[in-house]
Amino acid sequence: MLFNSYAFIFAFLPFVLAGYAAIGRWSGHRSVSLWWLVLCSVVFYAIWNPVNLVIIGPSVAANFMLARLIERRLTVGGSEDRWASVLLVAGVILNMCFLGYFKYRNFFLDSVNHVFATDWPMIQILLPLGISFITFQKIAFLVDVRMGAIRNYTLLDFLIFVVFFPQLIAGPIVHYREMVPQFHAGSGRLEARDLCVGLSLFALGLFKKAVLADGIAPYASTVFAAAERGDPIGLVSAWLAAAAFTLQVYFDFSGYSDMAIGLGRMFGVRLPVNFDSPLKASSIVDFWNRWHMTLTRFLTAYVYAPISLALTRRRMASGKPMISRKRASVPAFAVLVAVPTVVTMFASGLWHGAGITYVLFGLLHGFYLVVNQAWRQWHPRWPRDTYDRAMKPLGLVLTLLCVFFAMGLFKASTLRGGLTMQGAMLGFDGVALPQALLTRLGGLGQWLQSAGVTGDFTSGSELLLRCLWVAALLLAATVLPNSLETMARFEPALGMKAVAPARWQATLAPGWAAGFALLMLGGLLSLNRISEFLYWQF
Amino acid sequence: MDERRYLRWMLGSVLLLLAAVTAFNLLVDPYLVTGRPRVPGFNAIKPAVATHEHLMKAYQAYQAGQTNARTVVLGSSRSGTGIDPDSPHWPDAMRPVYNLSVAGTRLPDQLHYLELLLAAETSRGQTLPGTLVVGLDFESFLYRPGLVDARPPPSKQQAELHARLDMLHVLASPGPAPLPVLVHKLAELGLATATLDALEDSVATVLANRSSGGPDVLANGRASDWQLRAWTLADGASALFEQKHRMTVRQNLTPRLVLSDQPGGPVRRLQELQPLFALARAHNIRLVLLVQASHVTHHELLDALGYWADLERWKQTLTQSVAAARATGIDVRLWDFAGYENVYQDPVTGRGQAAAKMRWFWDPVHYNTDLGDRMIAGIFANPPKVDGLGEELTPATVTQRLAQVQRLRAAYRLAHPQAQADAQVLVCGNGCDKLARATLQP
């Protein structure tokens, strides 16, 4: 069940809210309210396909038992701590095998077949929804238990942490420590203020997903489909399609995150921020600090940091120079920054999907990040103000172009399609504009043609519409405050503090209520549209 | 403002705005779903036909029982724009005429629409049409080789269309409709009134009616030629011709489409005529089948693509099928307008030329109502007289008609020595290699 579906909005959500409110009013036991949420979350997950539950269920149970065993070893203490570590490693391997089998088995065998000309058979495997989100959270849970950060948890605590439906299939990726205390601290009743904030955020997210993301989607998919067929794509079409797809993913994913945060808030739970206007980033490092922030946080903590730490220790042990405040040596930079960065982004690429295009997408971003970090190390030392004035706008444009270019791979379903798209973005297919447009441009059109622009028989009005959509959404993404900034006064997400009132910040005024109602209406009226679910393989 | 009041404001506003949008869409009726009257200057022109023709024609057919049509035209967009139900050349006994052609459809879907129309007329106690004029497109009888069933499984859109036509058919039939049908109808009504797409189309409808017009499906079922006229005036017919030619090449070059599973075997999709014959026999309807008119450049392109022999074989087997049906007592006649007569050599005008509009054609396959009128006048004259346009195909005339077309083609090529080369360039650019040529052989 998608958040942006009639069934969810008009049946599931009201039913869950009503049940929660009724239990809160008449039961008085917090645990009953939480069991209600667990039950509803399981139903929410199983409605997609009950088989998902059969696959995920045993894995959840195994992780709970492992966590219990780890905790017991830690309670005993002494040499038993070592066994706790062994159990943790076993748990991580178990989870990675689980994820690997369902998500990466065919990709792995296909790659082996290609490289070694073997013929290992592919099999149809059901990919349980949200498998990466769920697996990552379970691993983080086991690590936290081993570190002693989580104690005295119950089965209910574990279940509500893993299956809470607002963040179950598309994140944000949460930590036990930031979630479960909130469940315990809640009153168990629906609070009017939480409903106001949650509903408003949900309206914003629904509008972003159903109106903006689904609205711009066709302008990207037609061109990417042509690239998959091997059709030549002109430079202009390729960049516009890549920009359109980037905006689609941004509004789609951030909209879905807004809906998740809004839903969590309806039950009095604050979820972490997942997007912070990433298209306003002035560098790639800045971009990844703003894009899918909970994934970046997870990868930094569980992939980047351990690798970096291990490499640092090794260099220290061998007496080699480290990166200090002065400029780093190239070998130190290569080992301590470039290697962990590229490995982390490789993992990030694989996380997004089991395919060579995702791997290349991750590696390309790894390359971007290394170049960005190298620039930070060795860029000319200008006065700060001068540097910011000159580099910020340039950085903004460069970052956007780099992100668009990488999206050429992300969207493609085959390597050939992705490379065709990126080749077109580099101008390998030439520059083409609709013949009708060139004709209408008169003298300018003739000049363009003499400069090498060719006319094709694509639709001029569609190109115009595509330009308008891209321009409007790009403007919205780079100029307007984001959803959480708009709601900042109400501390909408975890880690956000209430700020002083400012322009563009929502209040509980009739005008804002009507404005959010308009957004909600736009979203509701768009539920009939074809909606891509981009995260099914995350 | 306290939180409860804010929530009331928000939810109240959603409901109020939703009601306003629904009421506006109901009033404008951009998709003809509610059957609201067309008010000039407000909602008479229905530009949503450019994107929702299948939906709109289904509902129009459902409501067209009110027109009490004596003659119905079936076919694709070619007859949809070219055959005018209001033409003065229809004999009085055949009026009123309703054009049920739907763009992008083939005969099975067209019959589905027709069955709905007949059900609607029957339920209203009207006399069923006495004549069916059916435009036949040669290209719609081709299919991808290797398909076990020459009719591929329906796409999602086709499945939706079939479900809609079936639903309306049940509603048009006597007796109470089952609950799932009513739910389906309600859902369609919801989509036509309570969606952003409907709101956008309603606004576009009102704007088109307040300004210079737009695409439309007329009350008599004909698709207006507003869009074709606008394109022609803006870009010249030559641009439309080139665009359409490129599309033809893309659709027919690879894979090479076929008429039969085996070379020279029976033309599979001619089977699709049998339900038409059965329907004509059941309701005692006269059938007039037309091989649709095309511009000569389209024929040259078909030849360059290697389909000319297929076209001739199709005409021959079609003639035999019609003769066989005629032998069983069905009143059916077949007319061929796919030739090289002068009208089909209509000079293609470019942008900026004084007479930007062509005399008979919009693009290589879409003829205008002037040509459609001539065809109607010729077919329904007493006796029929289609000189300079084509000929009736019967077992006795088909061979000489094919020979006549070949003679006319030879004469055309003599007068236009570049025509064949132009078509070749369209098919394989300036670098046709041997391999490419080999794949073009029939």
Side-chain angles (χ1 to χ4, degrees):
Chain A
M1 199 187 308
L2 292 170
F3 293 162
N4 56 311
S5 65
Y6 293 111
F8 181 84
I9 293 172
F10 294 113
F12 183 83
L13 184 59
F15 180 71
V16 177
L17 284 170
Y20 189 82
I23 291 168
R25 173 167 292 187
W26 289 304
S27 155
H29 288 288
R30 181 69 178 137
S31 59
V32 181
S33 304
L34 294 182
W35 275 113
W36 169 251
L37 285 181
V38 168
L39 179 71
C40 292
S41 298
V42 170
V43 170
F44 171 82
Y45 190 67
I47 279 179
W48 290 90
N49 183 351
V51 180
N52 281 335
L53 202 59
V54 177
I55 296 170
I56 288 284
S59 154
V60 171
N63 274 276
F64 180 72
M65 285 190 283
L66 265 172
R68 278 280 194 232
L69 287 174
I70 292 172
E71 195 185 21
R72 268 187 214 158
R73 297 299 108 195
L74 290 175
T75 314
V76 175
S79 62
E80 292 295 308
D81 280 9
R82 199 165 160 224
W83 280 109
S85 298
V86 171
L87 285 168
L88 169 66
V89 172
V92 172
I93 291 173
L94 180 78
N95 279 303
M96 294 314 289
C97 288
F98 177 75
L99 186 63
Y101 180 80
F102 285 101
K103 188 166 174 178
Y104 300 109
R105 183 186 187 277
N106 280 345
F107 172 56
F108 176 73
L109 290 180
D110 190 39
S111 304
V112 168
N113 286 343
H114 265 94
V115 174
F116 299 105
T118 51
D119 195 22
W120 293 94
M122 308 283 126
I123 54 168
Q124 284 283 337
I125 307 176
L126 180 81
L127 182 63
L129 278 162
I131 185 170
S132 301
F133 289 104
I134 297 170
T135 307
F136 275 28
Q137 289 187 182
K138 286 183 302 193
I139 291 174
F141 179 77
L142 290 180
V143 171
D144 286 350
V145 171
R146 168 64 191 88
M147 296 302 155
I150 299 173
R151 292 168 195 272
N152 303 323
Y153 55 90
T154 62
L155 176 63
L156 176 60
D157 294 337
F158 180 69
L159 285 177
I160 192 70
F161 160 64
V162 174
V163 302
F164 185 46
F165 75 88
Q167 46 81 214
L168 179 59
I169 53 168
I173 301 169
V174 293
H175 284 296
Y176 179 92
R177 284 166 290 164
E178 63 194 10
M179 293 298 294
V180 174
Q182 293 192 69
F183 286 116
H184 285 298
S187 67
R189 293 185 174 192
L190 291 179
E191 302 290 343
R193 190 175 183 82
D194 286 337
L195 276 178
C196 290
V197 178
L199 210 56
S200 303
L201 260 178
F202 188 84
L204 262 167
L206 183 65
F207 183 82
K208 283 164 75 175
K209 161 71 186 152
V211 179
L212 302 183
D214 291 345
I216 200 171
Y219 297 105
S221 53
T222 48
V223 179
F224 275 91
E228 295 290 345
R229 290 195 301 269
D231 293 352
I233 313 288
L235 184 89
V236 178
S237 277
W239 278 101
L240 276 175
F245 180 65
T246 307
L247 291 161
Q248 180 198 345
V249 175
Y250 169 61
F251 281 105
D252 195 299
F253 205 174
S254 68
Y256 221 78
S257 290
D258 290 343
M259 284 192 273
I261 294 170
L263 287 167
R265 184 61 184 264
M266 289 182 204
F267 298 99
V269 174
R270 287 182 173 84
L271 295 174
V273 182
N274 217 16
F275 286 85
D276 182 19
S277 302
L279 300 183
K280 291 177 186 168
S282 56
S283 71
I284 285 290
V285 172
D286 190 21
F287 173 81
W288 280 103
N289 284 331
R290 292 160 172 262
W291 178 279
H292 202 175
M293 294 154 72
T294 54
L295 175 68
T296 304
R297 178 177 71 165
F298 186 92
L299 291 174
T300 305
Y302 298 103
V303 181
Y304 183 91
I307 294 173
S308 181
L309 199 63
L311 292 172
T312 304
R313 282 178 181 153
R314 183 180 289 186
R315 276 185 79 84
M316 282 176 81
S318 58
K320 291 179 181 167
M322 312 300 293
I323 296 179
S324 62
R325 285 190 180 179
K326 292 180 185 173
R327 294 191 181 192
S329 68
V330 173
F333 177 84
V335 173
L336 298 179
V337 177
V339 170
T341 301
V342 171
V343 172
T344 305
M345 292 314 291
F346 172 79
S348 170
L350 261 185
W351 185 88
H352 282 96
I356 187 71
T357 50
Y358 292 106
V359 171
L360 291 177
F361 167 81
L363 289 175
L364 184 56
H365 267 283
F367 171 72
Y368 290 162
L369 285 167
V370 170
V371 171
N372 195 174
Q373 295 284 14
W375 175 258
R376 287 183 169 190
Q377 285 288 329
W378 293 298
H379 71 76
R381 302 295 181 197
W382 298 342
R384 184 82 200 168
D385 283 356
T386 314
Y387 181 83
D388 282 352
R389 251 201 319 275
M391 296 311 293
K392 271 215 163 171
L394 186 67
L396 188 92
V397 174
L398 202 59
T399 305
L400 276 179
L401 292 179
C402 287
V403 170
F404 292 167
F405 186 71
M407 281 297 184
L409 278 171
F410 191 88
K411 165 81 173 168
S413 53
T414 62
L415 181 59
R416 180 189 173 216
L419 295 180
T420 302
M421 194 67 192
Q422 290 195 321
M425 292 170 86
L426 294 173
F428 294 165
D429 289 344
V431 185
L433 286 173
Q435 184 60 51
L437 183 67
L438 288 172
T439 310
R440 280 177 176 77
L441 288 175
L444 178 61
Q446 285 171 2
W447 179 82
L448 285 171
Q449 282 174 301
S450 67
V453 176
T454 54
D456 62 21
F457 286 90
T458 53
S459 163
S461 53
E462 194 185 312
L463 180 78
L464 188 67
L465 267 177
R466 190 176 297 169
C467 288
L468 287 174
W469 266 96
V470 168
L473 265 59
L474 199 56
L475 204 67
T478 53
V479 174
L480 294 180
N482 63 44
S483 323
L484 297 179
E485 286 168 345
T486 308
M487 301 296 295
R489 184 176 306 196
F490 305 102
E491 301 177 55
L494 213 56
M496 287 190 81
K497 295 289 169 211
V499 293
R503 219 172 142 207
W504 284 108
Q505 276 187 4
T507 59
L508 296 183
W512 281 99
F516 284 121
L518 204 60
L519 296 181
M520 176 73 93
L521 181 76
L524 293 177
L525 292 178
S526 303
L527 293 181
N528 65 306
R529 286 181 174 172
I530 295 168
S531 181
E532 279 187 76
F533 186 61
L534 297 168
Y535 340 108
W536 65 272
Q537 55 185 351
F538 284 10
Chain B
M1 183 188 244
D2 70 17
E3 288 94 349
R4 287 176 191 282
R5 208 160 151 231
Y6 177 88
L7 282 173
R8 277 199 296 273
W9 257 92
M10 191 173 167
L11 296 176
S13 303
V14 169
L15 291 176
L16 199 70
L17 289 166
L18 185 64
V21 167
T22 306
F24 178 62
N25 288 334
L26 270 171
L27 212 61
V28 177
D29 190 19
Y31 307 133
L32 298 171
V33 166
T34 58
R36 300 280 309 165
R38 294 183 182 218
V39 180
F42 177 62
N43 71 341
I45 298 169
K46 305 284 184 185
V49 72
T51 49
H52 290 76
E53 183 175 357
H54 288 205
L55 168 76
M56 292 167 73
K57 287 302 288 248
Y59 276 89
Q60 203 181 34
Y62 173 62
Q63 291 148 7
Q66 299 161 20
T67 63
N68 200 18
R70 297 292 304 125
T71 302
V72 172
V73 181
L74 288 186
S76 62
S77 58
R78 299 163 77 171
S79 46
T81 49
I83 306 286
D84 183 4
D86 291 341
S87 165
H89 301 288
W90 294 103
D92 288 342
M94 291 175 69
R95 296 165 188 272
V97 180
Y98 176 69
N99 193 330
L100 189 52
S101 303
V102 187
T105 53
R106 294 180 40 248
L107 193 54
D109 283 341
Q110 293 159 14
L111 282 176
H112 216 142
Y113 276 96
L114 178 66
E115 284 161 3
L116 170 61
L117 178 79
L118 296 182
E121 291 201 329
T122 305
S123 73
R124 292 185 175 103
Q126 295 168 349
T127 314
L128 294 183
T131 307
L132 273 182
V133 178
V134 185
L136 300 174
D137 301 343
F138 159 68
E139 291 87 341
S140 72
F141 285 80
L142 295 167
Y143 60 92
R144 281 170 169 254
L147 283 180
V148 178
D149 179 0
R151 193 176 176 191
S155 63
K156 188 172 173 248
Q157 286 84 354
Q158 271 180 317
E160 265 177 28
L161 171 67
H162 294 167
R164 175 180 302 124
L165 290 169
D166 290 341
M167 177 264 290
L168 291 174
H169 199 142
V170 172
L171 286 175
S173 305
L179 186 63
V181 170
L182 294 175
V183 170
H184 188 175
K185 178 74 172 39
L186 199 65
E188 291 243 306
L189 191 64
L191 289 175
T193 53
T195 63
L196 203 59
D197 292 330
L199 180 62
E200 286 170 9
D201 284 325
S202 288
V203 172
T205 300
V206 175
L207 290 178
N209 279 277
R210 305 293 299 174
S211 62
S212 58
D216 191 18
V217 55
L218 308 176
N220 61 24
R222 186 171 77 81
S224 84
D225 46 28
W226 185 92
Q227 187 68 74
L228 290 162
R229 189 181 298 271
W231 282 334
T232 304
L233 288 174
D235 302 320
S238 59
L240 286 187
F241 268 68
E242 190 165 352
Q243 190 174 22
K244 203 77 184 175
H245 285 327
R246 283 176 193 274
M247 197 185 296
T248 302
V249 170
R250 197 165 61 234
Q251 287 170 345
N252 296 285
L253 182 60
T254 48
R256 173 80 163 71
L257 306 179
V258 294
L259 284 172
S260 320
D261 296 345
Q262 306 295 331
V267 177
R268 276 198 84 138
R269 287 188 165 173
L270 277 183
Q271 286 299 318
E272 292 170 357
L273 285 171
Q274 295 310 318
L276 177 68
F277 294 147
L279 188 137
R281 187 183 297 115
H283 297 291
N284 197 24
I285 295 173
R286 174 171 61 142
L287 292 177
V288 179
L289 309 184
L290 316 177
V291 175
Q292 301 262 30
S294 304
H295 195 265
V296 285
T297 54
H298 183 66
H299 291 151
E300 288 298 302
L301 194 57
L302 286 180
D303 188 29
L305 284 162
Y307 288 103
W308 188 259
D310 285 328
L311 176 63
E312 291 190 331
R313 189 162 75 89
W314 174 71
K315 284 184 186 176
Q316 282 173 322
T317 46
L318 180 62
T319 307
Q320 289 159 10
S321 294
V322 169
R326 205 173 161 77
T328 64
I330 299 169
D331 184 0
V332 52
R333 298 177 81 166
L334 171 66
W335 302 84
D336 178 21
F337 296 106
Y340 274 76
E341 281 82 357
N342 280 339
V343 287
Y344 307 124
Q345 298 179 25
D346 195 9
V348 181
T349 54
R351 190 171 191 270
Q353 287 186 242
K357 182 178 170 293
M358 288 171 63
R359 179 77 184 86
W360 307 111
F361 282 90
W362 296 111
D363 68 26
V365 294
H366 289 99
Y367 48 92
N368 61 28
T369 47
D370 291 344
L371 182 54
D373 283 358
R374 277 190 64 178
M375 287 156 58
I376 295 162
I379 294 169
F380 298 109
N382 193 10
K385 187 171 166 41
V386 290
D387 296 348
L389 286 178
E391 194 168 331
E392 182 176 6
L393 293 182
T394 65
T397 62
V398 65
T399 309
Q400 70 187 45
R401 168 63 181 162
L402 295 179
Q404 180 202 24
V405 172
Q406 285 187 6
R407 275 196 310 278
L408 290 169
R409 183 173 70 164
Y412 170 76
R413 286 178 177 173
L414 210 58
H416 301 84
Q418 196 57 30
Q420 255 186 305
D422 288 346
Q424 284 289 349
V425 168
L426 272 168
V427 172
C428 47
N430 292 316
C432 284
D433 57 21
K434 285 180 184 172
L435 186 66
R437 283 179 191 281
T439 61
L440 298 179
Q441 297 309 310

